[in-house]
Amino acid sequence: MHQPPQTPEAALPPHATGTVSDAPPGNWVDTLAPAATRPFLRLSRADRPIGTWLLLLPCFWGVALAANADPAGFRPLDLWIVLGCAIGAFLMRGAGCTWNDITDREFDAAVARTRSRPIPSGQVTAKQAAVWMVVQALIAALILFSFNAMAIGLGIASLALVCLYPFAKRFTWWPQVFLGLAFNWGALLAWAAHSGSLGWAPVWLYAAGITWTLFYDTIYAHQDKDDDALIGVKSTARLFGSNTRPWLRGFLAATVLLMTLAVVLALPADAPLVQLLLALAGVWGIGWHMAWQLARLDTEDPARCLQLFRSNRDAGLIPALFLAVAALV
């Protein structure tokens, strides 16, 4: 009997191969991870590390700014804070994304970019995803409980934001605000893990992170605005429409101003001028990177929006690195 020609795997739709359409091609999950683990790692977005970076970078800001405010500078414990935040960011981003996919499984099935995700494509069930979410959260809790009492309390409080975020796009045009509240909580937590307290400097740093999130996630949301309109999902991309660029300029300016305020309030009055200039150079650096993104933005080009969104790893690393160097002066 004549056999039909085999369809090359690359020609099959993502749901047929188990891959996710918006994951980078050739990522480590698709190529290296054991087959049985791949659906769960995809739930955690392990194949798309940019989200982990965006959750982790405010933690780096927080501990580095706290070290600038501390006459002793960095402390040995800060190495564990940085490592613990890195592992915790991976786990809690994974748990949050799993929760998001559980709650959004019907929406994801209706959107071209997301229907290949593990739950709508049938790679895992919602119950299996829930178990995976709990496992990730429990491991992250073990790390959190190694920090001081203030940081532990802040970490527990953040769960309310994580739980609420997936529902925000159902009742507000500003779901990116809720993402910003959740994703930048690490700035407060890492500051508290270093210092054991809070103050206005980490609060303004947290606010700067929120406006930065409004900037990059509005760009990201422009990929889905047509599908979102069809299924009734709200976003700042849909709200701003053709006026997106002026709004993004405002978020850029707010990020720079709020982060500048955080630096000025954090540094002691007798801090060396070079320390202040180094810290502020990081603020100016993220501002210039955001301006670079804005100059290249085409909200009608989904590929360009995704490219610019991913570039925010580099944008967020700029103040982290400059703040760290400033604390060592």
Side-chain angles (χ1 to χ4, degrees), residues 8 20 36 38 75 93 95 120 129 135-136 151 153 182 200 204 253 267 314:
V20 178
R38 290 175 187 173
R75 302 176 182 180
R93 189 256 182 150
V135 168
Q136 293 172 95
W200 280 112
W204 291 122
L267 266 63
D314 297 340

Side-chain angles (χ1 to χ4, degrees), residues 20 48 60 84 89 91 127 147 149 217 228 234 239 289 305 311 317-320 328:
V20 178
R48 282 156 287 174
F60 287 170
L91 291 166
K127 288 184 179 180
F147 294 160
D217 205 59
D228 287 349
K234 299 178 174 66
L239 177 65
H289 196 290
C305 290
S311 76
L317 277 171
I318 294 170
L328 295 171

Side-chain angles (χ1 to χ4, degrees), residues 3 19 23 28 54 58 74 122 127 132-133 148 176 181 199 211 220 236 285 314 327-328:
Q3 295 293 326
T19 60
W28 75 273
L54 295 175
F74 282 112
K127 288 184 179 180
W132 176 237
M133 175 186 68
N148 59 40
Q176 280 69 27
L181 290 168
T211 54
Y220 182 83
T236 48
D314 297 340
L328 295 171

Side-chain angles (χ1 to χ4, degrees), residues 43-109:
L43 274 173
S44 301
R45 309 289 197 274
D47 51 355
R48 282 156 287 174
I50 179 60
T52 299
W53 277 108
L54 295 175
L55 186 61
L56 176 59
L57 286 166
C59 300
F60 287 170
W61 300 351
V63 70
L65 190 64
N68 276 279
D70 188 341
F74 282 112
R75 302 176 182 180
L77 181 62
D78 291 336
L79 289 173
W80 169 241
I81 294 173
V82 169
L83 179 60
C85 284
I87 300 171
F90 177 82
L91 291 166
M92 285 309 298
R93 189 256 182 150
C97 288
T98 304
W99 171 241
N100 187 79
D101 280 10
I102 292 171
T103 59
D104 280 1
R105 57 190 183 276
E106 294 182 3
F107 285 143
D108 286 347

